[in-house]
Amino acid sequence: MSYVDTCLHDVDTAHPRVAGLVGNGALYALVPGKGFLAHREAGDVIHTYVVLHRPAEWFDGIDFTDVPAAKARVAAEFDGWAPELRALITDGDSAPVLRSIHELPDDHRWSRVPGVTLLGDAAHATVPGGDGANLAMLDGAELGEALAAYPDDTEKALAAYESRMFPRSHKAAAAAHRTVDLVFGADAPAGVIGLFSQERGASA
Ligand SMILES: Cc1cc2nc3c(=O)[nH]c(=O)nc-3n(C[C@H](O)[C@H](O)[C@H](O)COP(=O)(O)OP(=O)(O)OC[C@H]3O[C@@H](n4cnc5c(N)ncnc54)[C@H](O)[C@@H]3O)c2cc1C
């Protein structure tokens, strides 16, 4: 899976139909294996991730330095879709950027390396499950706690931190795969619709 990242500026004046479609929050337009995740940002900007489940070699065939050709190739994956959705790519005023998703096994861990550890995204190389900032903050807090608990023994502190972080990372990676499958899997867009309906039911 990869994202192609693109932006539209001055949306309210220059792209009112797209602005109306995305609204003031976010828009998800999904079918199995592809779709658009667009959201409004401060400063009259709509930022879009075009999601495509394609192998890395497929993206190697696109020259992202040739902006019109890259846009046309990505937009071609959405032939027959609403023009306002395709405009998220074709009218983008930033060069499309390929954001490839790289992942390690869910239970990835490493042997202790004296004086070194990892936290945040560097420690949790998995698919985007929407929890990365939370993990990074918790990692930081727990690493700080461990260093404070063993002020004279950094190795003990790092080992203590990693012994809590590794199982959390494993669990979070498995959850991230479930989320990605829910959002982009074979039932798309039913997973996202189900998620929001559930939330609405819970808060009603
Ligand atoms: C579009 C998008 C939506 C997201 N939504 C959510 C969400 O809803 N909820 C959630 O929990 N998470 C979300 N995330 C994930 C979240 O942003 C990350 O998991 C989180 O930012 C990871 O924090 P980090 O500190 O590990 O890494 P980063 O935030 O990437 O920080 C790393 C920093 O290191 C700097 N850096 C890199 N190389 C060097 C170098 N050589 N020297 C010095 N500095 C360097 C970078 O510039 C950067 O500032 C989202 C991510 C994206 C891209």
Side-chain angles (χ1 to χ4, degrees), residues 3 39 47 49 119-123 128-137:
Y3 291 171
H39 59 270
H47 192 158
Y49 288 90
L119 66 163
D121 277 5
D131 223 6
N134 297 310
L135 284 170
M137 288 190 288

Short mmCIF file of all heavy atoms in Angstrom, two decimals, residues 3 39 47 49 119-123 128-137, ligand 1:
data_model
loop_
_atom_site.label_atom_id
_atom_site.label_comp_id
_atom_site.label_asym_id
_atom_site.label_seq_id
_atom_site.Cartn_x
_atom_site.Cartn_y
_atom_site.Cartn_z
N TYR A 3 0.63 5.80 -0.42
CA TYR A 3 -0.19 7.01 -0.55
C TYR A 3 0.48 7.91 -1.58
O TYR A 3 1.70 7.98 -1.64
CB TYR A 3 -0.22 7.81 0.75
CG TYR A 3 -0.97 7.22 1.91
CD1 TYR A 3 -0.87 7.81 3.16
CD2 TYR A 3 -1.79 6.11 1.78
CE1 TYR A 3 -1.55 7.31 4.26
CE2 TYR A 3 -2.47 5.60 2.86
CZ TYR A 3 -2.34 6.20 4.11
OH TYR A 3 -3.01 5.70 5.19
N HIS A 39 -8.60 15.93 3.68
CA HIS A 39 -9.02 16.69 4.86
C HIS A 39 -8.65 18.16 4.68
O HIS A 39 -7.70 18.50 4.00
CB HIS A 39 -8.42 16.12 6.15
CG HIS A 39 -6.93 16.09 6.16
ND1 HIS A 39 -6.20 15.03 5.71
CD2 HIS A 39 -6.03 17.02 6.57
CE1 HIS A 39 -4.92 15.28 5.83
NE2 HIS A 39 -4.78 16.49 6.34
N HIS A 47 -5.83 18.80 1.81
CA HIS A 47 -4.68 17.90 1.69
C HIS A 47 -5.26 16.50 1.43
O HIS A 47 -6.16 16.06 2.14
CB HIS A 47 -3.93 17.93 3.02
CG HIS A 47 -2.59 17.28 2.97
ND1 HIS A 47 -1.60 17.58 3.87
CD2 HIS A 47 -2.06 16.34 2.15
CE1 HIS A 47 -0.53 16.86 3.61
NE2 HIS A 47 -0.79 16.09 2.57
N TYR A 49 -4.63 12.30 0.55
CA TYR A 49 -3.83 11.09 0.35
C TYR A 49 -4.62 10.19 -0.59
O TYR A 49 -5.73 9.77 -0.26
CB TYR A 49 -3.57 10.36 1.67
CG TYR A 49 -2.59 11.10 2.55
CD1 TYR A 49 -3.03 12.03 3.47
CD2 TYR A 49 -1.23 10.90 2.40
CE1 TYR A 49 -2.13 12.73 4.25
CE2 TYR A 49 -0.32 11.60 3.18
CZ TYR A 49 -0.77 12.51 4.09
OH TYR A 49 0.13 13.21 4.85
N LEU A 119 12.18 4.90 19.83
CA LEU A 119 10.81 5.15 20.26
C LEU A 119 10.04 5.83 19.13
O LEU A 119 10.63 6.25 18.14
CB LEU A 119 10.77 5.97 21.56
CG LEU A 119 11.27 7.41 21.58
CD1 LEU A 119 10.73 8.12 22.83
CD2 LEU A 119 12.77 7.44 21.63
N GLY A 120 8.72 5.86 19.30
CA GLY A 120 7.89 6.49 18.27
C GLY A 120 7.92 5.70 16.97
O GLY A 120 8.09 4.48 16.96
N ASP A 121 7.73 6.42 15.87
CA ASP A 121 7.67 5.75 14.56
C ASP A 121 8.92 4.90 14.29
O ASP A 121 8.83 3.88 13.61
CB ASP A 121 7.54 6.79 13.44
CG ASP A 121 6.09 7.24 13.25
OD1 ASP A 121 5.22 6.82 14.04
OD2 ASP A 121 5.84 8.02 12.30
N ALA A 122 10.05 5.34 14.78
CA ALA A 122 11.29 4.58 14.54
C ALA A 122 11.19 3.19 15.15
O ALA A 122 11.79 2.25 14.63
CB ALA A 122 12.48 5.35 15.13
N ALA A 123 10.42 3.06 16.23
CA ALA A 123 10.30 1.76 16.90
C ALA A 123 9.12 0.95 16.36
O ALA A 123 9.08 -0.26 16.56
CB ALA A 123 10.13 1.97 18.41
N PRO A 128 -0.22 2.39 8.72
CA PRO A 128 -0.78 3.50 9.50
C PRO A 128 -2.12 3.14 10.13
O PRO A 128 -3.14 3.07 9.44
CB PRO A 128 -0.93 4.62 8.47
CG PRO A 128 -0.93 3.95 7.14
CD PRO A 128 -0.23 2.64 7.28
N GLY A 129 -2.11 2.90 11.42
CA GLY A 129 -3.33 2.50 12.13
C GLY A 129 -3.99 3.66 12.86
O GLY A 129 -5.01 3.48 13.52
N GLY A 130 -3.38 4.87 12.77
CA GLY A 130 -3.99 6.04 13.41
C GLY A 130 -3.65 6.19 14.87
O GLY A 130 -4.28 6.95 15.60
N ASP A 131 -2.61 5.48 15.33
CA ASP A 131 -2.29 5.50 16.75
C ASP A 131 -0.83 5.90 17.00
O ASP A 131 -0.36 5.84 18.13
CB ASP A 131 -2.51 4.08 17.31
CG ASP A 131 -3.21 4.08 18.64
OD1 ASP A 131 -3.62 5.17 19.08
OD2 ASP A 131 -3.31 3.01 19.26
N GLY A 132 -0.13 6.28 15.93
CA GLY A 132 1.32 6.49 16.03
C GLY A 132 1.71 7.58 17.00
O GLY A 132 2.72 7.44 17.72
N ALA A 133 0.95 8.68 17.04
CA ALA A 133 1.31 9.78 17.94
C ALA A 133 1.11 9.34 19.39
O ALA A 133 1.91 9.67 20.28
CB ALA A 133 0.47 11.01 17.62
N ASN A 134 0.04 8.58 19.61
CA ASN A 134 -0.22 8.10 20.98
C ASN A 134 0.92 7.18 21.43
O ASN A 134 1.40 7.28 22.56
CB ASN A 134 -1.55 7.35 21.02
CG ASN A 134 -2.70 8.27 20.68
OD1 ASN A 134 -2.83 9.34 21.23
ND2 ASN A 134 -3.53 7.87 19.73
N LEU A 135 1.33 6.28 20.53
CA LEU A 135 2.42 5.37 20.87
C LEU A 135 3.70 6.15 21.16
O LEU A 135 4.42 5.86 22.11
CB LEU A 135 2.69 4.40 19.71
CG LEU A 135 1.69 3.26 19.52
CD1 LEU A 135 1.97 2.56 18.19
CD2 LEU A 135 1.79 2.26 20.65
N ALA A 136 3.97 7.13 20.31
CA ALA A 136 5.21 7.91 20.47
C ALA A 136 5.22 8.63 21.82
O ALA A 136 6.24 8.66 22.52
CB ALA A 136 5.35 8.90 19.32
N MET A 137 4.07 9.20 22.19
CA MET A 137 4.02 9.94 23.46
C MET A 137 4.16 8.99 24.66
O MET A 137 4.85 9.29 25.63
CB MET A 137 2.73 10.75 23.55
CG MET A 137 2.75 11.95 22.61
SD MET A 137 1.39 13.09 22.86
CE MET A 137 0.02 12.14 22.21
C1 LIG B 1 -1.33 12.02 7.55
C2 LIG B 1 -1.03 11.44 8.89
C3 LIG B 1 -2.06 11.32 9.81
C4 LIG B 1 -1.81 10.80 11.07
N1 LIG B 1 -2.84 10.71 11.95
C5 LIG B 1 -2.61 10.24 13.19
C6 LIG B 1 -3.67 10.18 14.14
O1 LIG B 1 -4.80 10.55 13.86
N2 LIG B 1 -3.40 9.70 15.38
C7 LIG B 1 -2.16 9.29 15.73
O2 LIG B 1 -1.96 8.86 16.88
N3 LIG B 1 -1.12 9.32 14.85
C8 LIG B 1 -1.31 9.80 13.59
N4 LIG B 1 -0.29 9.85 12.68
C9 LIG B 1 1.02 9.29 13.05
C10 LIG B 1 1.87 10.27 13.87
O3 LIG B 1 1.98 11.51 13.19
C11 LIG B 1 3.27 9.66 14.06
O4 LIG B 1 3.14 8.32 14.51
C12 LIG B 1 4.07 10.47 15.08
O5 LIG B 1 4.26 11.78 14.60
C13 LIG B 1 5.41 9.81 15.34
O6 LIG B 1 6.15 10.65 16.19
P1 LIG B 1 7.71 10.57 16.18
O7 LIG B 1 8.16 11.60 17.16
O8 LIG B 1 8.14 9.16 16.38
O9 LIG B 1 8.18 10.94 14.71
P2 LIG B 1 7.98 12.30 13.92
O10 LIG B 1 6.78 13.05 14.38
O11 LIG B 1 8.13 11.94 12.48
O12 LIG B 1 9.24 13.16 14.39
C14 LIG B 1 10.54 12.87 13.93
C15 LIG B 1 11.28 14.19 13.84
O13 LIG B 1 12.66 13.93 13.57
C16 LIG B 1 13.10 14.84 12.61
N5 LIG B 1 14.27 14.26 11.94
C17 LIG B 1 14.31 13.27 11.02
N6 LIG B 1 15.56 13.01 10.66
C18 LIG B 1 16.35 13.83 11.38
C19 LIG B 1 17.75 14.03 11.46
N7 LIG B 1 18.60 13.31 10.74
N8 LIG B 1 18.22 14.97 12.31
C20 LIG B 1 17.36 15.69 13.08
N9 LIG B 1 16.02 15.55 13.05
C21 LIG B 1 15.54 14.63 12.20
C22 LIG B 1 11.92 15.04 11.67
O14 LIG B 1 12.00 16.25 10.96
C23 LIG B 1 10.76 15.06 12.70
O15 LIG B 1 10.53 16.36 13.19
C24 LIG B 1 -0.51 10.38 11.42
C25 LIG B 1 0.55 10.52 10.49
C26 LIG B 1 0.28 11.04 9.23
C27 LIG B 1 1.42 11.20 8.25
#
